[in-house]
Amino acid sequence: MSSPLWRRLAAELVGTALLVTAVVGSGIMAAQLSPHDVGLQLLENSIATAFALTVLILMFGPISGAHFNPIVSAADWWLGRHGTDGLSAADLGTYTLAQILGAILGSLLANAMFAVPMGLSTKHRSAPHLWLGELVATTGLLLLIFALVRTGRAVLAAPAVGAYIGAAYWFTSSTSFANPAVTIGRAFSNTFAGIAPASVPGFIVAQLVGGIVGIGLIIALYPAKHRTSDAVVLSDVDAEHAATGTADRP
């Protein structure tokens, strides 16, 4: 990727922070606007999250690939490890740290904006059916991203990923966290979108298993390597610039 590492890490940190701010903030707003209707709260929360994720991918994709998710970054490293276009192992570690820090900061920012007392969540989400929901949500997310990338349709990534997460709020029992960094971040808000720290490990294990299943399906269904996820948005922007003769690389 053409951007220096510090700029990519800044994009991942800020992008993940804004994503969690959108998730937690819209959850707080939904609980305030519809205090007696959980279904409506989830609808409001899912719509805001889907829109925010779409915009954030478009905003930060040209810089870092807009992963915002250690599972996506890990898949990018694993699938691209024999080439030169995936993340390096060192980059994977720094991406993950930036994403986790950004997620925590995003949750704290949402709390501050709505004057919610700072503290850890007490909302327990720990049961086998919820872990299964996380496995399904994470598998589907990876399969979607790399299906688009490996079939040359990466330009659709932003709306497709936003739509998938918005839908997965409803068709998975866990409401589709599908992201270890976001899961950790949401533990820092005792609100509608929160998750108790004791429930975090189970979710993360399920997400890791979902990541492994997703990578296996990608290799089986899309064996021809086209592009890796770090180029989901960036490569299409560069391709457009190249076609118009306006490419400008640092």
Side-chain angles (χ1 to χ4, degrees):
M1 298 182 69
S2 60
S3 298
L5 179 60
W6 71 265
R7 187 173 293 150
R8 286 184 278 144
L9 294 179
E12 286 297 302
L13 188 151
V14 175
T16 309
L18 291 176
L19 173 59
V20 175
T21 299
V23 172
V24 174
S26 63
I28 296 171
M29 179 66 82
Q32 292 178 352
L33 294 176
S34 311
H36 306 299
D37 191 334
V38 177
L40 186 54
Q41 291 173 16
L42 185 62
L43 177 62
E44 294 159 348
N45 192 201
S46 63
I47 290 174
T49 299
F51 285 167
L53 182 55
T54 300
V55 170
L56 291 171
I57 292 173
L58 291 174
M59 188 183 302
F60 294 104
I63 303 172
S64 67
H67 295 186
F68 311 147
N69 187 334
I71 299 293
V72 174
S73 297
D76 179 41
W77 163 72
W78 180 261
L79 294 171
R81 70 194 187 284
H82 295 309
T84 60
D85 52 356
L87 288 179
S88 67
D91 286 355
L92 171 59
T94 54
Y95 262 52
T96 299
L97 290 175
Q99 291 156 355
I100 292 173
L101 177 58
I104 295 172
L105 292 175
S107 195
L108 297 179
L109 176 59
N111 290 343
M113 285 197 300
F114 288 91
V116 172
M118 297 294 178
L120 297 176
S121 176
T122 58
K123 192 165 188 174
H124 290 278
R125 304 174 187 256
S126 184
H129 71 283
L130 299 180
W131 301 332
L132 178 60
E134 280 302 286
L135 190 156
V136 170
T138 308
T139 298
L141 177 61
L142 279 191
L143 192 56
L144 169 62
I145 292 172
F146 286 92
L148 294 175
V149 169
R150 291 193 165 196
T151 58
R153 296 174 294 160
V155 68
L156 300 175
V161 172
Y164 174 82
I165 292 299
Y169 260 78
W170 293 90
F171 71 73
T172 64
S173 56
S174 63
T175 66
S176 183
F177 286 48
N179 184 330
V182 168
T183 303
I184 293 171
R186 288 168 69 163
F188 286 80
S189 182
N190 191 23
T191 59
F192 177 80
I195 177 172
S199 300
V200 168
F203 266 52
I204 291 179
V205 169
Q207 291 157 0
L208 291 173
V209 174
I212 294 171
V213 174
I215 290 173
L217 288 173
I218 292 160
I219 293 171
L221 298 175
Y222 303 96
K225 183 178 177 182
H226 185 76
R227 286 175 288 182
T228 49
S229 68
D230 64 325
V232 164
V233 177
L234 177 63
S235 60
D236 292 286
V237 173
D238 288 344
E240 180 181 350
H241 286 174
T244 59
T246 59
D248 183 14
R249 293 183 176 275

